[in-house]
Amino acid sequence: MADTVLYEVSDGLATITLNRPEAMNALNIETKVALREAVTAAGADSSVRAVLLTAAGDRAFCVGQDLKEHIGLLAEGSGQVMSTVREHYNPIARALTEMPKPVVAGVNGVAAGAGFGFALAADYRVVADSAAFNTSFAGVALTADSGISWTLPRVVGPGRAADLLLFPRSIKAQEAYELGIASRVVPAASLREEAEKVARALAEGPTVAYSAIKESLAYGSSHSFAEALEKENELQTKAGASEDHTIAVQAFVNKEKPKYLGR
């Protein structure tokens, strides 16, 4: 894996760190390939029970596409210019949203374009009080990618999503919290610590139940109420058969804190 993305697994938590702070963690091809590999690896690793996606430095989480590289590819007439959505952004966004374990984004600075998209693809966002979000796409005559056309309306509503996409602007951390984009806002100096605390709590939790919650939320957003009820029945049966459910019930009866196994 490239040095532009760091990957570490510890006690059930996979930490993925975008590592181009000098470029505000912009996404060049090398970084996109490495990020795709890291997210895919975390999703497939049964020892990983939660994922923390964050970034190096204090200025930016990720400002999206590396425009310097993009301009060079445009000048060359390279076919890689627009194939990046299919080859990189789509697989990364799908891996984040579809993996059967919770994903926490630790947003340490500006999240723009695809960087905003990947933060939205996480299940929970811990945001530094100095951070900001920007859709950016229309500002460079492009449309939404990295899943934003699906995630943003579900977080802020279709009207606000259209406003933010048509008129890109900086959304500060407090406004992001009020809109539902940020799950928690914390002091910038303690962002990494607080985000890791949330992610580790999830890594120690009932992984099968978390997977079912992710699946039910995604399913319910695009199906009828009756269909959602049937899906809940299916997923509840699965969660109820897990070892963690038995552990939780026994711990409740014994007035103890449950120690989940993630299965």
Side-chain angles (χ1 to χ4, degrees):
M1 198 170 294
D3 292 339
T4 55
V5 175
L6 307 179
Y7 183 74
E8 177 187 4
V9 178
S10 171
D11 297 324
L13 176 64
T15 302
I16 301 171
T17 306
L18 294 168
N19 190 37
R20 297 188 73 209
E22 75 290 346
M24 299 186 76
N25 296 306
L27 299 165
N28 60 6
I29 292 174
E30 179 186 36
T31 304
K32 286 180 283 193
V33 170
L35 180 58
R36 183 184 64 196
E37 291 176 353
V39 175
T40 301
D45 187 344
S46 60
S47 72
V48 171
R49 293 169 57 187
V51 174
L52 173 60
L53 175 62
T54 191
D58 54 14
R59 291 195 303 156
F61 172 73
C62 174
V63 294
Q65 178 66 42
D66 186 326
L67 291 181
K68 290 182 179 178
E69 181 184 74
H70 186 73
I71 289 168
L73 292 172
L74 278 173
E76 295 171 8
S78 171
Q80 291 182 297
V81 173
M82 302 315 299
S83 66
T84 193
V85 172
R86 182 183 65 255
E87 294 178 11
H88 307 120
Y89 293 155
N90 289 356
I92 292 167
R94 289 193 63 174
L96 290 169
T97 57
E98 294 177 4
M99 71 169 66
K101 56 202 77 175
V103 178
V104 175
V107 183
N108 54 307
V110 176
F116 190 3
F118 296 151
L120 286 172
D123 302 296
Y124 196 93
R125 287 165 290 281
V126 182
V127 177
D129 56 9
S130 58
F133 298 86
N134 197 316
T135 59
S136 297
F137 301 105
V140 288
L142 289 173
T143 184
D145 62 30
S146 58
I148 282 184
S149 64
W150 193 93
T151 54
L152 188 59
R154 284 162 174 78
V155 171
V156 305
R160 283 197 175 97
D163 175 37
L164 295 175
L165 284 163
L166 291 169
F167 301 100
R169 59 190 181 277
S170 180
I171 307 161
K172 303 299 184 184
Q174 184 57 38
E175 183 183 0
Y177 178 75
E178 292 165 0
L179 288 171
I181 294 168
S183 306
R184 281 182 59 193
V185 176
V186 301
S190 60
L191 181 278
R192 184 61 178 255
E193 177 186 354
E194 293 298 324
E196 185 171 328
K197 187 184 300 182
V198 170
R200 288 205 174 277
L202 291 169
E204 294 171 0
T207 312
V208 175
Y210 292 153
S211 172
I213 288 168
K214 286 186 68 164
E215 186 175 347
S216 65
L217 288 172
Y219 186 91
S221 69
S222 57
H223 289 78
S224 69
F225 181 62
E227 290 170 325
L229 288 175
E230 287 301 314
K231 175 59 73 171
E232 286 182 349
N233 175 61
E234 172 195 324
L235 294 171
Q236 195 69 293
T237 301
K238 180 180 178 182
S242 69
E243 290 184 55
D244 283 342
H245 174 61
T246 301
I247 290 168
V249 172
Q250 192 62 52
F252 179 82
V253 170
N254 295 338
K255 295 181 171 58
E256 299 172 344
K257 183 179 179 180
K259 294 182 179 179
Y260 294 115
L261 301 176
R263 55 181 187 265

